[in-house]
Amino acid sequence: MGIFSTLVAASAVADVVIAQRVIPVGFSKPTARLPALHRRGGTYSQELNNNLTGGGYYAQVTVGTPPQTVDLIVDTGSSDVWILDSNANLCHSKTMQSRYGYCLSTYDSSNSSTYSVVSQDAFSIRYVDGSGAEGDYIKDNFSIGGADIKALQMGLAENSTINSGLLGIGFAANVAAETPYPNIMDLFQNQDLIAIQAYSLYLDDLYAATGTILFGGLDTEKFIGELKTVDIQPDRYGNYSSFTVTLSSLTTTADNGTVANYTTRSAVPVILDSGTTLTYVPSSIANRIFRAFGAVDDTSGTGLVFISCDYLDDNKNLTFDFQFGGKDGPVIRVPVDEMVLNNVQEYVELGLDVPSMPFDNVCSFGLQPNSDYYLLGDTFLRSAYVVYDLTNKQIGLAQANLNSTKSNILEITQESGIPDASGVASQVTAEQTATGLPGTGNSNGGQSATTTGSSSTPSGQSSGNAGARAVSAPSWEALAVTAITGLFGLMGVGLVVL
């Protein structure tokens, strides 16, 4: 596996209104690491680092006194924050590192005056791909996006098959501990850092080095048209433990008007999970899509679905259209080239034996079948602007305004919940210059992007120089105009197996 390098420096979110309780947290992109090849009152903003090929998005935080810098995978599909111990087995075993990668960053409890043990050997977590970590539950001070959280309970992993800790930001009911405890989202609110337990996620497109998560707020410059809400669905026991919403339909649309419908008879419960690289849908849907696109399902062998790289040069503006919550619900359009990953050659260099294919230029497909759970991971989320409201059990969805360089941040308050907000009229006008293919080299994932402006085009139309990822909003957004991130096995670590 590849070695993580220093995270790419990323620009800060501009024009944050300090009076609001909104925490901007950025994430950015380390060098690529391929997933394993087997099944498996203010606003605070954090920038997120995009691991382009592996699909991980990383937030840089600090832990302890004095603060120690740690990089964590942002995971909406789990609820524990956990960090790697400086003496973790993975960090000192060359054999393990050859399989799972070098430790990205670690924490040394002996160097923190505010460290305390909550429960020895009580932390144990496994993810759907079989990866996991175990150790103690501890408490220490934790800082993210300028917000200082006192005495956060975290897992301290002494044994791990994951080379980075995780920032689990789901419901507290889903923590790995036998007895639930106040997790990071609880403490954000309990310590009066944000008004309610809510945040918004903006990953930006496949080529973007950075994205942003806003704790306690949303940014109207980062989405197109109307922000529509859908209800989070409880689990079979009536508890809210994951960000499950109903997928009403899945279609493909081309600019020539051709539409193919892959909808099942009933709505499909899907989990919105930033800790998962790919998108997993029912086999009945996936198989029909594979036939339509000439894709080859080899998940039982290599763990991949193969597809022609010709779709990266799509000239029909072909999109996968996901609709949620019924016929009047939000629609997110995902360009086909966001679903096609040019990473197979890297797998080959690592020893992958690609079976014979009916096409010469082989890529992997960012959509796979599953019979146990349905996850919309990063190949979907990059096209969406998502607001997670844990307090009111709602999700807000809108088309992402890709490559946006502006900000207009609104606080999410106890009274309003997710506000009736509208974003920009249409996709930002941007010109991208690709200097390589996804996952093929430099610390930016082999890509560079240059934004030449942010002027608007008429709603529902694409601009001539908007680039391949300039996707206009669905037609139902046309009148809503007003003038911020599985890395392993199953290619995702988000869904916890308890």
Side-chain angles (χ1 to χ4, degrees), residues 203-407:
L203 298 185
D204 212 344
D205 72 7
L206 183 62
Y207 299 95
T210 62
T212 305
I213 184 169
L214 282 171
F215 290 101
L218 59 87
D219 189 341
T220 64
E221 288 287 339
K222 297 300 188 288
F223 62 91
I224 303 169
E226 183 181 356
L227 184 67
K228 288 194 171 187
T229 59
V230 293
D231 291 333
I232 298 174
Q233 302 298 306
D235 61 25
R236 59 183 176 178
Y237 304 108
N239 299 319
Y240 290 91
S241 55
S242 67
F243 296 122
T244 301
V245 295
T246 55
L247 177 64
S248 305
S249 68
L250 174 54
T251 60
T252 56
T253 305
D255 61 1
N256 62 6
T258 303
V259 177
N261 193 331
Y262 303 100
T263 306
T264 59
R265 292 182 179 179
S266 58
V268 176
V270 292
I271 298 173
L272 303 179
D273 183 5
S274 69
T276 296
T277 308
L278 306 183
T279 290
Y280 295 84
V281 297
S283 297
S284 59
I285 293 177
N287 291 336
R288 291 170 61 196
I289 293 174
F290 296 161
R291 288 194 295 270
F293 284 79
V296 177
D297 183 357
D298 194 46
T299 51
S300 62
T302 60
L304 298 175
V305 175
F306 296 102
I307 190 170
S308 172
C309 294
D310 290 348
Y311 285 106
L312 288 173
D313 300 319
D314 168 55
N315 58 7
K316 297 180 181 179
N317 292 323
L318 188 64
T319 60
F320 291 89
D321 302 343
F322 295 76
Q323 184 165 37
F324 303 87
K327 62 180 182 180
D328 296 322
V331 178
I332 303 300
R333 288 179 170 168
V334 181
V336 66
D337 56 354
E338 283 281 346
M339 281 286 184
V340 177
L341 305 175
N342 195 348
N343 55 11
V344 173
Q345 183 57 42
E346 289 182 84
Y347 285 127
V348 170
E349 292 171 1
L350 291 171
L352 173 68
D353 185 13
V354 177
S356 177
M357 290 289 134
F359 36 82
D360 296 327
N361 217 356
V362 183
C363 284
S364 67
F365 201 13
L367 182 145
Q368 290 199 3
N370 202 281
S371 57
D372 299 321
Y373 35 77
Y374 313 127
L375 305 173
L376 303 189
D378 298 333
T379 52
F380 165 82
L381 289 172
R382 279 187 282 264
S383 298
Y385 189 84
V386 188
V387 183
Y388 299 80
D389 184 347
L390 288 71
T391 298
N392 296 299
K393 315 297 190 295
Q394 287 188 318
I395 296 286
L397 286 161
Q399 193 76 31
N401 181 26
L402 303 176
N403 306 305
S404 170
T405 58
K406 297 181 179 180
S407 272

Side-chain angles (χ1 to χ4, degrees), residues 62-65 112 114 139-143 149-152 154:
T62 62
V63 182
T65 308
S112 175
T114 46
K139 283 187 179 180
D140 209 337
N141 294 338
F142 185 94
S143 181
I149 299 174
K150 305 299 182 186
L152 174 66
M154 298 169 279

Side-chain angles (χ1 to χ4, degrees), residues 110 133 179 268 310 429 442:
S110 66
T179 303
V268 176
D310 290 348
T429 300
N442 64 31

